Amino acid sequence: QKEVEQNSGPLSVPEGAIASLNCTYSDRGSQSFFWYRQYSGKSPELIMFIYSNGDKEDGRFTAQLNKASQYVSLLIRDSQPSDSATYLCAVRSGGYQKVTFGTGTKLQVIP
Amino acid sequence: GAVVSQHPSWVICKSGTSVKIECRSLDFQATTMFWYRQFPKQSLMLMATSNEGSKATYEQGVEKDKFLINHASLTLSTLTVTSAHPEDSSFYICSARELVGRDSTDTQYFGPGTRLTVL
């Protein structure tokens, strides 16, 4: 079983819709969760981090964490074509453990 | 967010030569830096974790004698690909961990990456 799992996609949504990206993780001791966006040919860019159960909102982005279900998601409201990219979920266990990345979900926002 | 730079952004070299890539944290001190490699349409692969003042920790399958990592200061880590071959052609990305985060968390920030092509 992979430590961090994401559906590779592509996930296609129409412009203006809500895109929902999901991620599950296997280590119950994980404490910090990150979402990165990676455009083709570019390096990952941090979008959000979350470490408490519940929702965290930042502009059009909302991260949701459910530690009991070992599930973290990213919602993108009012999706724009410029949101088309690969979204990487990253998870870190306690202390200064290395971050484990998922393989990413490719999002396509259709104009 | 914090800024991480990499140099060069791209490099083309002949087979058998060595290439050095620099990674700098510009506005924060990074006691830990990470080196990743990414092949086209594949996910990030962690190569090694670099701690300032100590030897790097390499992931399984990564040759430490081929990929030399030096982390001599809190703001600079270097990756040297020795005796490069065409199969080493890839996108190399560094990441720096901001330990006392401005966002009150321990966060990794990525450099822009270095595209290496070995002829």
Side-chain angles (χ1 to χ4, degrees):
Chain A
Q1 181 188 6
K2 292 181 180 178
E3 295 180 50
V4 180
E5 292 206 49
Q6 293 181 258
N7 188 315
S8 62
L11 171 67
S12 294
V13 299
E15 183 175 356
I18 296 175
S20 178
L21 304 162
N22 305 317
C23 172
T24 57
Y25 59 95
S26 59
D27 184 358
R28 281 197 172 276
S30 300
Q31 297 185 357
S32 304
F33 308 86
F34 307 84
W35 282 100
Y36 290 84
R37 175 176 62 198
Q38 186 175 24
Y39 292 110
S40 181
K42 303 293 184 182
S43 67
E45 170 192 12
L46 180 68
I47 298 176
M48 292 186 70
F49 62 87
I50 185 169
Y51 44 85
S52 298
N53 272 328
D55 295 358
K56 180 181 179 181
E57 187 174 318
D58 184 359
R60 296 188 295 114
F61 299 97
T62 299
Q64 299 175 319
L65 175 61
N66 184 325
K67 290 186 178 180
S69 300
Q70 295 175 241
Y71 175 96
V72 58
S73 64
L74 179 70
L75 301 178
I76 306 175
R77 290 182 298 281
D78 188 24
S79 295
Q80 301 297 309
S82 58
D83 294 326
S84 298
T86 296
Y87 289 80
L88 302 171
C89 170
V91 176
R92 184 170 65 238
S93 299
Y96 300 127
Q97 300 297 317
K98 67 183 181 185
V99 172
T100 301
F101 285 84
T103 54
T105 298
K106 186 174 183 178
L107 173 67
Q108 294 177 338
V109 180
I110 311 301
Chain B
V3 179
V4 178
S5 70
Q6 261 182 264
H7 178 80
S9 56
W10 60 270
V11 57
I12 301 173
C13 69
K14 293 182 178 180
S15 184
T17 61
S18 294
V19 174
K20 179 185 281 189
I21 302 170
E22 290 187 351
C23 176
R24 293 181 185 271
S25 56
L26 296 186
D27 54 356
F28 66 99
Q29 293 183 333
T31 55
T32 304
M33 289 186 174
F34 306 87
W35 287 95
Y36 294 84
R37 180 166 55 181
Q38 188 174 36
F39 293 105
K41 298 186 179 181
Q42 294 189 23
S43 61
L44 289 171
M45 187 194 83
L46 178 65
M47 299 175 67
T49 301
S50 167
N51 291 296
E52 185 264 339
S54 63
K55 291 183 178 180
T57 301
Y58 290 81
E59 295 299 301
Q60 191 172 11
V62 179
E63 299 175 59
K64 62 180 181 180
D65 294 330
K66 181 170 181 63
F67 299 99
L68 302 179
I69 292 174
N70 183 278
H71 191 166
S73 78
L74 288 173
T75 59
L76 173 64
S77 177
T78 61
L79 167 68
T80 301
V81 183
T82 63
S83 187
H85 291 284
E87 58 265 30
D88 297 324
S89 299
S90 188
F91 191 42
Y92 291 85
I93 311 172
C94 75
S95 175
R97 171 184 281 161
E98 186 174 24
L99 196 59
V100 183
R102 66 194 69 202
D103 299 311
S104 301
T105 192
D106 182 0
T107 303
Q108 271 184 241
Y109 296 94
F110 284 89
T114 297
R115 194 162 300 282
L116 171 64
T117 301
V118 184
L119 302 177

